[in-house]
Amino acid sequence: MAQAQGFGRRYLKAFCKGFFVAVPVTVTFLDRVACVARVEGASMQPSLNPGGRQTSDVVLLNHWSIRNYDVQRGDIVSLVNRDLGNNSFPTGKTCRIMGLGREKHFTM
């Protein structure tokens, strides 16, 4: 019986060590490197949600490109509102870059 208690205690200790290492690493990765987001609606068709599907697409948001100002015309960006309010997920707007700074754009 004493051997079973030592066995359980050893696994609990290993779990706690793994938990307290994995959680900060995961939070840092999702905050600084990349995160996963849902894109809903028809505004990004045909690139995202093709064919008028009612389901949402899941995308990987790259934080490094924005931090290094490495955006180009045609890239898809997501602007996130982190104020959750009554939602459980952050809300935001997904759009395509049509022009860059110091460019003149005209509408017809």
Side-chain angles (χ1 to χ4, degrees):
M1 186 71 174
Q3 197 176 33
Q5 286 179 345
F7 186 72
R9 187 173 285 159
R10 186 174 53 200
Y11 277 106
L12 181 62
K13 188 176 179 181
F15 172 78
C16 289
K17 281 184 180 179
F19 180 79
F20 289 117
V21 170
V23 169
V25 169
T26 302
V27 169
T28 302
F29 179 83
L30 293 176
D31 189 47
R32 300 288 178 190
V33 179
C35 67
V36 178
R38 288 184 308 179
V39 177
E40 298 173 338
S43 65
M44 292 305 300
Q45 286 179 348
S47 298
L48 300 173
N49 296 333
R53 293 184 299 163
Q54 296 299 320
T55 60
S56 60
D57 278 350
V58 177
V59 294
L60 180 69
L61 302 177
N62 180 0
H63 295 261
W64 285 109
S65 294
I66 297 299
R67 229 177 233 114
N68 298 330
Y69 302 105
D70 186 25
V71 292
Q72 299 173 359
R73 189 178 297 107
D75 287 350
I76 297 174
V77 296
S78 182
L79 308 171
V80 178
N81 180 7
R82 292 191 184 262
D83 180 25
L84 296 178
N86 294 332
N87 299 327
S88 58
F89 291 103
T91 58
K93 177 80 173 156
T94 302
C95 53
R96 186 179 304 277
I97 303 268
M98 298 304 291
L100 301 171
R102 299 187 186 131
E103 291 182 350
K104 293 183 181 180
H105 298 276
F106 301 100
T107 57
M108 297 191 167

